[in-house]
Amino acid sequence: MRTYHCFWLLFWAGQPHQSFLTPLSKRTSGFPEKEKVLVLSGNSRQDLHRSKRSWMWNQFFLLEEYTGTDYQYVGKLHSDQDKGDGSLKYILSGDGAGDLFIINENTGDIQATKRLDREEKPVYILRAQAINRRTGRPVEPESEFIIKIHDINDNEPMFTKDVYNASIPEMSDVGTFVVQVTATDADDPTYGNSAKVVYSILQGQPYFSVESETGIIKTALLNMDRENREQYQVVIQAKDMGGQMGGLSGTTTVNITLTDVNDNPPRFPQSTYQFRAPESTPLDSPVGRIKANDADVDENAEIEYSITEGDGYDMFGITTDKDTQEGIITVKKALDFESKNLYILKVEATNTHVDPRFLYLGPFKDSATVRIQVEDVDEPPMFSRPAYIMEVKEDVPLNSVIGTVTAQDPDAAKNPVKYSVDRHTDMDRVFNINSGNGSIFTSKPLDRETLLWHNITVIAAEINNPKQSSRVPVFIKVLDVNDNAPEFAMFYETFVCENAKAEQLIQTLSAVDKDDSYNGHQFSFSLAPEAASSSNFTLQDNRDNTAGIFTRKTRYNRHETSTYFLPVVISDSDYPIQSSTETVTIRVCACDHRGKMLSCNAEALIHPTGLSTGALIAILLCIIILLVTVVLFAALRRQRKKEPLIISKEDIRDNIVSYNDEGGGEEDTQAFDIGTLRNPEAIDDNKLRRDIVPETLFLPRRTAAARDNTDVRDFINQRLKENDTDPTAPPYDSLATYAYEGNGSVAESLSSLESVTTDGDQDYDYLSDWGPRFKKLADMYGSMDSDKDS
C-alpha cells in the first residue's frame, strides 16, 4: 500500500498584506486567511519508485507595485513528511529565487522582497523542493509552479509622437480627415479597463474634432480660410479606464497647417498707370512695371499679363517676371515723338492655374489702363535708306558723281546735316563726298579687274551737334568696259621638224581676256601684216577662240635658220575693239621618222652644257659649309676664356688673386705705396692692370681729384662709384683689400704714416699692456729706449 505525503502551499491573494518585522518563519497577519493549498505526494519507502504529484492548482497571483514596508507574503510550502521537528529543509529555485523571492527553509513561507512591475515581467516560474536537513537528500520530488503578477492601473497612455504635423487644403468641407493620433497603454488589456483608451480634444475647438475611440481628427468648421489664419494647434488627450473618473491620461500636440488653394483672383491696386519713355528707347527695353496682387501663394498666385486693346497694341509688349509676378512693359517698335507722343493700353492680369471649384467667387482676372507718354530727345540724322547700292563704269573720269545719299534730322528743329566718308572703309581715298548735299564722286581711277566692289561707310552728323551722327553702308560696283586686249593663255614655244611636211599642224593657240563679257568672249587670230606674206608658216582661226599654226613648206634646215618668231595678232569683238600682238617661238629640230625630236640648235637651252645642276648645288653647299665653319671658329676664339698672367698656387675663384708675401714695410716702396691713397693726384691712370690680359686699350678716363683732407674711406667709396659707372671697365669681378680700420679702434692706428721723423718723443711702454701677443714688440721697442738712455 502506497503512502502519500502532501506538500501544501498557502497563498494570500487579492489584497495587500501587512506584516510585522518578524523572522521569516512567522507569517504576516492582519487579513483573513484564505489559503490555497498545493498537495504534493511522494514515495517515502523507495526513492526509486515513481512519485505522484498532486497539485490543487499550479499558479498563484500577486499584486504589482506593493507599497507596504514589510516583505510581501506570497505563500507557504509544506510537506506531509514535515513532523515539525526541523528535520526538513525547504529550498526554492527558478526566476528570482533567492533575490526577488525568498523562502523560510524551516517553515516554507515564501515572500517577495521587492516591488514587482507587471510591465517588466508578468510571470515568474519557480521550483520548490523539500530535502532532509541531515542527509541533504530530497524527500519530495521537485515541483514547478507559476506566480502571475496582477495588473493595476499604474501606466498612463503614451502617444506614439510627442508632436504631430498635418496639413489640409483651406476651404475644406466639414468632416475632412486631417490626421489620426495613436496612444498606447502599457497596462494589461485583458484585466479590467486599465488599458482601455478614450480620446478627447482639449484645445482646437470649434475648428477640429476627434473620434473618441479611433483618434481620427477631422475638420469641424466650414470654409476655413488660409488668408485669415494659416496655423492651428490642437491638443488631444488620451485617457485610460474608458475615460472614467480616476483614469490616467496623456496629451499630444497636433500642428495643423492650411494649404493654399486658388480662391482669390488677382487685383490691381490702382486702375490707371502712367509711364514715360524717351523716343530713343531701344527695342525690347522695359518702359515700366505693373503688378496685380493675389492673396494666394506659389502656383496659385502665378499671373499672366496681356495687352487686350489700345492704340499701342502693336507698339508695346508685356511679359511676366516669374520671380516677382510683375508685368514688364517693353517696346516692340521704334518710338517717334514727332509721329505720336501718347499711347493708351489696357492690360489684363489672369491667374494661370484656376480651380473650377471656386469659379463661383467671380472671374479670376482683372484689368487696368496704362498711359505711356513718349518724350522727345535729340536724335541723330536718319538716312532715307538702310543701305545704298551704286554702279559706276571703270573708265569714268575723275570727280564724276556716281550717286547721292540723303539724311535728315528727325527732330522738329530739323538741324542741318553734313556728310563724310569713314576713311577706315576707304583707306585709298578712292571716293569722296560732298559734305553739303551727300553726292559721292570718284577721286582716283577705277579698275574693275583690280577690285570689283567698293564697300564704304558714309557718316551723317548734325552741324550743331556732331555727336549726333549715324552711318549707312554704301556698296559701289565697278562696271566693266573693254579696256584690256586679249593675250595668249600661256607662253608658246614649239618646234618644227626638219623633215616636216607642208600643211602640218605644229601648235594650237588659245587666248584670254581680263575684261568681262556678258555674251562670252569672241577672239579672232591672224598673222601680223609683216609676217603674213613672207612667213614659212600659216595661221588658221578655228572660230572657237583657238587657232592653229601650220607649216607652209616641206622641209626646214636648222643650219640655215634655227629659230622662227611668228607674230600673231589677237582681237576681241567688244566695243571698242582691243587687240594685241603676241609672238610664238618656233625652233627647227632634227626628228626621227615618227616626228619625235632628237636634237636642235635650242639644245643649249633645253639641256645646258657644262656642269650639271646637281654639281652646281654640291659646290654651293660646300661654300656654305665653309663659311659657317669660319664664322663658328671666329666666334669661339672671341669667347675663349682669358687666362690671368699671374697664376696662384691657391684655388682661384672668379678673379680673386691671393698674395702671400708680407711686403717690406715702410721702406718697401716698390710693392705698395700707401701714400698714393693720401695723394690721389699722383695716381697714374695710364697704368694697366697686371692680373689679366688686356683686350682693348681704352682712352684713360680722368677722374676728379680728391680734396687734400679726403679720408681713405671716402676715397675708396669714390673710386668704387666711379668704377661702377665707368662704361670702359671690363665686366669681371675683382676683390681689393685695404687695411684700413676706420675710426673708433681700441688700438688706434698702427700705421707708420702718423709717426714722426724721430723716435725720441715716442713712449712704447703701453705695448706691454696689450698682452702676450705684443710682448715681442714691446721688448724690441723697450730695448731701443734703454739703449738711447745709455
Side-chain angles (χ1 to χ4, degrees):
M1 180 178 181
R2 294 181 178 177
T3 301
Y4 295 92
H5 304 280
C6 296
F7 194 31
W8 298 81
L9 173 66
L10 305 178
F11 176 73
W12 296 93
Q15 301 184 22
H17 304 276
Q18 298 180 356
S19 62
F20 301 97
L21 294 174
T22 59
L24 293 177
S25 61
K26 296 181 180 180
R27 291 186 52 189
T28 57
S29 60
F31 292 89
E33 293 186 4
K34 295 179 63 179
E35 295 182 341
K36 297 180 181 179
V37 181
L38 171 64
V39 180
L40 209 152
S41 61
N43 195 335
S44 61
R45 295 180 179 178
Q46 298 293 335
D47 293 336
L48 299 176
H49 290 180
R50 179 178 178 271
S51 300
K52 179 180 179 182
R53 298 177 182 178
S54 178
W55 291 92
M56 294 184 66
W57 53 70
N58 63 350
Q59 64 179 3
F60 307 96
F61 298 92
L62 190 65
L63 287 176
E64 66 173 337
E65 303 294 344
Y66 172 69
T67 59
T69 57
D70 297 334
Y71 290 159
Q72 188 177 5
Y73 185 76
V74 178
K76 182 181 179 64
L77 289 177
H78 184 73
S79 173
D80 55 359
Q81 295 191 15
D82 189 358
K83 305 303 182 180
D85 56 359
S87 60
L88 295 183
K89 178 182 179 182
Y90 297 95
I91 60 175
L92 190 66
S93 62
D95 295 341
D99 178 24
L100 188 59
F101 300 101
I102 58 175
I103 187 170
N104 190 313
E105 60 183 14
N106 296 321
T107 62
D109 291 327
I110 302 174
Q111 291 178 307
T113 62
K114 298 179 181 179
R115 294 175 59 180
L116 302 178
D117 190 357
R118 188 202 67 84
E119 286 71 36
E120 292 183 3
K121 189 175 181 63
V123 175
Y124 294 87
I125 301 174
L126 297 110
R127 291 178 297 278
Q129 194 174 31
I131 62 174
N132 189 289
R133 188 183 294 274
R134 182 174 57 84
T135 63
R137 300 181 65 182
V139 298
E140 298 287 350
E142 189 179 56
S143 299
E144 184 179 85
F145 61 94
I146 298 174
I147 299 178
K148 273 193 170 183
I149 309 302
H150 260 178
D151 183 46
I152 64 173
N153 189 20
D154 60 341
N155 291 279
E156 70 274 5
M158 299 291 293
F159 283 94
T160 56
K161 297 180 181 179
D162 294 334
V163 177
Y164 289 82
N165 295 302
S167 62
I168 57 168
E170 62 174 332
M171 309 298 289
S172 296
D173 297 332
V174 176
T176 302
F177 174 84
V178 179
V179 70
Q180 183 177 13
V181 297
T182 303
T184 58
D185 197 316
D187 294 325
D188 189 359
T190 64
Y191 183 76
N193 294 327
S194 298
K196 186 177 181 181
V197 179
V198 175
Y199 301 93
S200 61
I201 185 168
L202 300 182
Q203 176 182 322
Q205 294 175 330
Y207 306 104
F208 300 94
S209 63
V210 62
E211 292 184 358
S212 61
E213 296 183 358
T214 62
I216 295 177
I217 301 175
K218 298 180 180 180
T219 57
L221 189 64
L222 185 65
N223 294 334
M224 287 189 292
D225 193 0
R226 184 200 65 83
E227 286 72 32
N228 294 331
R229 182 177 178 182
E230 184 177 4
Q231 298 286 340
Y232 294 87
Q233 191 175 73
V234 179
V235 179
I236 303 296
Q237 181 190 65
K239 191 173 184 181
D240 59 11
M241 298 298 292
Q244 297 177 4
M245 185 71 68
L248 303 178
S249 63
T251 59
T252 187
T253 301
V254 182
N255 296 322
I256 302 175
T257 304
L258 297 184
T259 58
D260 186 56
V261 297
N262 193 5
D263 59 339
N264 293 280
R267 290 289 180 264
F268 283 105
Q270 59 192 69
S271 59
T272 303
Y273 295 84
Q274 293 188 0
F275 299 103
R276 294 180 177 273
E279 61 176 336
S280 60
T281 303
L283 298 182
D284 298 326
S285 298
V287 174
R289 290 172 174 255
I290 61 175
K291 183 178 182 180
N293 299 324
D294 194 325
D296 297 321
V297 295
D298 299 333
E299 68 174 13
N300 297 319
E302 292 182 0
I303 301 174
E304 182 178 354
Y305 297 90
S306 60
I307 299 176
T308 57
E309 58 183 66
D311 53 1
Y313 180 81
D314 58 341
M315 296 294 295
F316 299 92
I318 188 169
T319 58
T320 302
D321 189 334
K322 299 299 182 182
D323 296 331
T324 61
Q325 295 300 315
E326 292 178 314
I328 306 174
I329 301 176
T330 57
V331 178
K332 290 173 58 177
K333 293 184 179 180
L335 303 178
D336 187 8
F337 173 82
E338 289 73 25
S339 300
K340 188 175 180 63
N341 57 15
L342 179 63
Y343 295 91
I344 299 176
L345 310 174
K346 184 177 181 181
V347 178
E348 186 176 81
T350 308
N351 274 139
T352 56
H353 302 279
V354 179
D355 194 335
R357 296 177 299 171
F358 305 103
L359 289 177
Y360 67 91
L361 297 176
F364 282 76
K365 59 183 178 180
D366 195 15
S367 60
T369 301
V370 178
R371 299 168 59 90
I372 301 176
Q373 183 73 42
V374 181
E375 297 178 339
D376 187 25
V377 296
D378 189 7
E379 298 176 276
M382 293 183 60
F383 285 94
S384 59
R385 301 179 191 175
Y388 292 85
I389 299 178
M390 301 178 182
E391 294 181 349
V392 59
K393 291 186 177 182
E394 61 178 328
D395 61 345
V396 67
L398 296 180
N399 299 324
S400 298
V401 176
I402 60 175
T404 303
V405 297
T406 304
Q408 293 183 350
D409 183 11
D411 298 324
K414 301 296 181 183
N415 294 320
V417 177
K418 64 177 180 179
Y419 303 92
S420 62
V421 176
D422 186 356
R423 290 306 173 188
H424 292 91
T425 60
D426 186 22
M427 301 293 291
D428 296 332
R429 297 181 177 270
V430 179
F431 301 96
N432 213 334
I433 190 171
N434 189 307
S435 61
N437 57 20
S439 59
I440 300 174
F441 54 90
T442 60
S443 57
K444 288 185 178 180
L446 303 176
D447 186 6
R448 187 202 68 85
E449 288 72 31
T450 302
L451 187 60
L452 177 61
W453 283 93
H454 294 267
N455 302 328
I456 65 174
T457 299
V458 174
I459 303 173
E462 294 182 7
I463 295 179
N464 299 333
N465 187 10
K467 293 183 178 180
Q468 294 294 337
S469 62
S470 56
R471 297 165 175 264
V472 68
V474 179
F475 307 103
I476 302 173
K477 183 179 181 181
V478 180
L479 300 179
D480 185 47
V481 296
N482 193 21
D483 58 345
N484 291 280
E487 56 188 15
F488 280 150
M490 57 180 294
F491 175 73
Y492 290 103
E493 182 177 5
T494 185
F495 69 94
V496 62
C497 295
E498 288 182 309
N499 56 357
K501 299 179 180 180
E503 302 299 327
Q504 181 180 343
L505 178 63
I506 62 174
Q507 183 65 49
T508 300
L509 308 176
S510 61
V512 294
D513 195 335
K514 295 180 180 179
D515 293 324
D516 190 15
S517 177
Y518 297 101
N519 299 323
H521 290 290
Q522 186 65 41
F523 303 124
S524 61
F525 300 86
S526 61
L527 293 176
E530 64 273 13
S533 58
S534 61
S535 177
N536 293 305
F537 304 92
T538 61
L539 180 67
Q540 180 179 343
D541 192 348
N542 298 326
R543 303 298 180 182
D544 59 354
N545 293 336
T546 63
I549 299 177
F550 295 88
T551 57
R552 174 175 288 184
K553 60 183 182 177
T554 302
R555 294 184 63 86
Y556 295 86
N557 190 343
R558 60 188 174 120
H559 298 289
E560 295 179 358
T561 305
S562 60
T563 304
Y564 293 93
F565 297 97
L566 187 64
V568 178
V569 178
I570 311 171
S571 303
D572 58 21
S573 58
D574 293 332
Y575 181 82
I577 296 175
Q578 299 288 340
S579 63
S580 65
T581 301
E582 301 289 332
T583 301
V584 179
T585 302
I586 304 174
R587 302 186 182 279
V588 180
C589 300
C591 303
D592 57 10
H593 64 281
R594 291 176 297 181
K596 184 177 181 181
M597 182 182 64
L598 298 177
S599 62
C600 57
N601 55 0
E603 187 175 0
L605 296 176
I606 301 175
H607 303 287
T609 59
L611 295 176
S612 63
T613 304
L616 292 175
I617 294 175
I619 294 173
L620 183 60
L621 287 176
C622 292
I623 295 173
I624 293 174
I625 293 173
L626 183 60
L627 291 176
V628 171
T629 304
V630 172
V631 171
L632 289 177
F633 181 74
L636 290 175
R637 288 197 60 185
R638 295 190 60 183
Q639 295 181 1
R640 187 176 58 185
K641 183 178 180 181
K642 281 76 177 179
E643 297 183 356
L645 295 178
I646 301 175
I647 301 177
S648 175
K649 295 181 180 180
E650 300 291 336
D651 183 17
I652 298 176
R653 301 195 179 270
D654 293 332
N655 288 326
I656 301 176
V657 181
S658 176
Y659 299 94
N660 293 328
D661 58 307
E662 296 183 1
E666 298 180 14
E667 298 178 357
D668 186 5
T669 58
Q670 299 297 327
F672 185 78
D673 186 5
I674 194 66
T676 305
L677 295 176
R678 291 298 183 182
N679 187 15
E681 295 180 354
I683 297 176
D684 188 1
D685 290 334
N686 295 327
K687 291 184 179 180
L688 299 177
R689 294 184 55 152
R690 297 180 297 167
D691 57 337
I692 62 170
V693 179
E695 274 188 21
T696 308
L697 293 179
F698 296 92
L699 294 177
R701 184 182 178 194
R702 195 66 180 176
T703 58
R707 299 188 303 272
D708 293 338
N709 58 350
T710 300
D711 188 71
V712 175
R713 178 175 55 188
D714 297 336
F715 172 79
I716 293 173
N717 292 333
Q718 178 182 351
R719 282 293 184 262
L720 177 63
K721 182 177 180 181
E722 291 174 358
N723 281 274
D724 287 342
T725 58
D726 187 5
T728 62
Y732 53 80
D733 295 333
S734 62
L735 177 64
T737 302
Y738 299 92
Y740 174 72
E741 296 185 15
N743 297 326
S745 174
V746 177
E748 298 182 352
S749 178
L750 298 178
S751 175
S752 61
L753 296 177
E754 297 179 357
S755 302
V756 293
T757 57
T758 63
D759 298 332
D761 298 332
Q762 294 291 330
D763 184 9
Y764 298 102
D765 293 338
Y766 60 89
L767 294 176
S768 59
D769 298 331
W770 285 6
R773 294 186 179 181
F774 295 88
K775 185 176 183 302
K776 183 67 174 177
L777 191 62
D779 294 340
M780 292 173 58
Y781 281 87
S783 61
M784 293 174 59
D785 293 338
S786 61
D787 294 338
K788 292 179 181 180
D789 295 336
S790 61

